[in-house]
Amino acid sequence: MHRYRLILDLQLFNQEKTEPATPRKRQEARRKGQVASSQEIPAAFILLFVFLSFMMLGGYYKDRLYRMFGDTFESGLTMEITAESLGWLVSKWMTEVALLLFPIFAIALVVGLASHYFQFGWLFTFETIKPSLKKIDPIQGVKQLFSSRSLVEFVKSILKLLIVGLMVYMTIWGELESIVMLDHAMPEQILAFAASLTLSLGIQIAVLLVVLALLDFMYRKYMHEKSIRMSKQDIKDEHKKVEGDPLIKGRIREKQRRMAIQRMMQEVPKADVVITNPTHYAVALRYDAAEMDAPIVVAKGVDYLALRIREVAKEHDVTIMENKPLARALYERTEIGRTIPVDLFQAVAEVLAYIYRLKGRVKTS
């Protein structure tokens, strides 16, 4: 009973996702669009840089507004309404509006791309927009609505509204005396004060939202790392998938070894001589003076493989010669398909010469 419980505990431990994700797991998650990102970072940074542009490009925005409304009040109201004049007025308004909004659109585009790159680099995938029945499953929708993540998002939104509201209240309260005095100010002074207060408040709120967005990104990064964690069994399975199952790899190696032995045995009948130990080692040599510079090893083996080489040699009338030191030296120092070492030329030449005399033929060595 205790042993069964111990095995069960070990299996449960192996299934717990406690290990950091492997590079392969991270790459697969990234390919599916599963990355740590916060939608609040681009929004917060865009808001901040837009308000900063109001501060740095205030003269530009002021000039555009004067052009847009000044021309309308100066000439538009007294001009004769015709198709041509109306078309000209609409075209001018559209041009002025485009020039007024161009810096804002440019800032939104550049800052949006930069904020996404800051979070997860360059990423282009269609996985997130692929149609899926899970996205329209009402049960899954209800689960997501009442999930812990939705609760966190709700609390975060309420907290953000409270903080921003408190900041607006404190800023206006601090300027309350100046606001009361505006009833005696000129319209230009009122507009200048309102613009200054709005700009200051906008920058403060944007900085606050940037801080909250960075905290949100850190939280989402933590949750992303937690979501892609792996169990010890997952890592083992991935290793098997990448490297291959050891059993399958062993079978493949065994099959390759058998095929290599089979090819080697097919070369034994072409050998001129098989040098043996006599039982432990066997090396088959072949030499053709017209085609080769030196004898080559066509087969070699020890123990059972050496026995098979001798049996094949006997079946095909290949001469078998016992030479213990030469057989061992050839086995240890040569590879199949390679020529013999230079220092063994003399010994092998004597063996081949003897074999040629026995067969009643002469070959130049």
Side-chain angles (χ1 to χ4, degrees), residues 332-343:
E332 294 177 351
R333 298 175 56 189
T334 59
E335 298 295 333
I336 298 174
R338 301 291 181 87
T339 59
I340 64 175
V342 177
D343 56 328

Side-chain angles (χ1 to χ4, degrees), residues 17-37:
K17 299 184 180 297
T18 57
E19 304 301 315
T22 61
R24 179 182 175 86
K25 174 73 172 181
R26 294 179 184 277
Q27 185 178 5
E28 290 181 353
R30 182 179 177 83
R31 181 177 56 81
K32 296 177 181 178
Q34 299 173 0
V35 292
S37 64

Side-chain angles (χ1 to χ4, degrees), residues 252-355:
I252 293 174
R253 285 196 297 267
E254 178 63 23
K255 186 175 182 179
Q256 291 174 341
R257 190 180 69 85
R258 291 180 179 178
M259 292 176 64
I261 292 174
Q262 184 178 2
R263 288 194 300 268
M264 184 180 68
M265 289 301 177
Q266 292 174 353
E267 295 295 323
V268 173
K270 304 176 184 178
D272 293 308
V273 62
V274 174
I275 302 175
T276 63
N277 194 22
T279 56
H280 295 294
Y281 293 89
V283 180
L285 301 177
R286 178 172 175 265
Y287 179 61
D288 188 342
E291 300 177 357
M292 306 174 186
D293 296 329
I296 63 172
V297 176
V298 296
K300 68 175 185 176
V302 294
D303 297 333
Y304 173 77
L305 193 55
L307 177 61
R308 286 287 300 132
I309 291 174
R310 292 197 303 272
E311 291 177 350
V312 174
K314 288 180 180 179
E315 293 175 0
H316 294 83
D317 295 327
V318 178
T319 305
I320 300 175
M321 178 174 289
E322 180 181 340
N323 190 326
K324 296 180 181 180
L326 182 57
R328 190 180 187 90
L330 288 171
Y331 180 84
E332 294 177 351
R333 298 175 56 189
T334 59
E335 298 295 333
I336 298 174
R338 301 291 181 87
T339 59
I340 64 175
V342 177
D343 56 328
L344 298 179
F345 277 7
Q346 183 63 34
V348 172
E350 294 177 357
V351 171
L352 291 176
Y354 176 73
I355 298 301

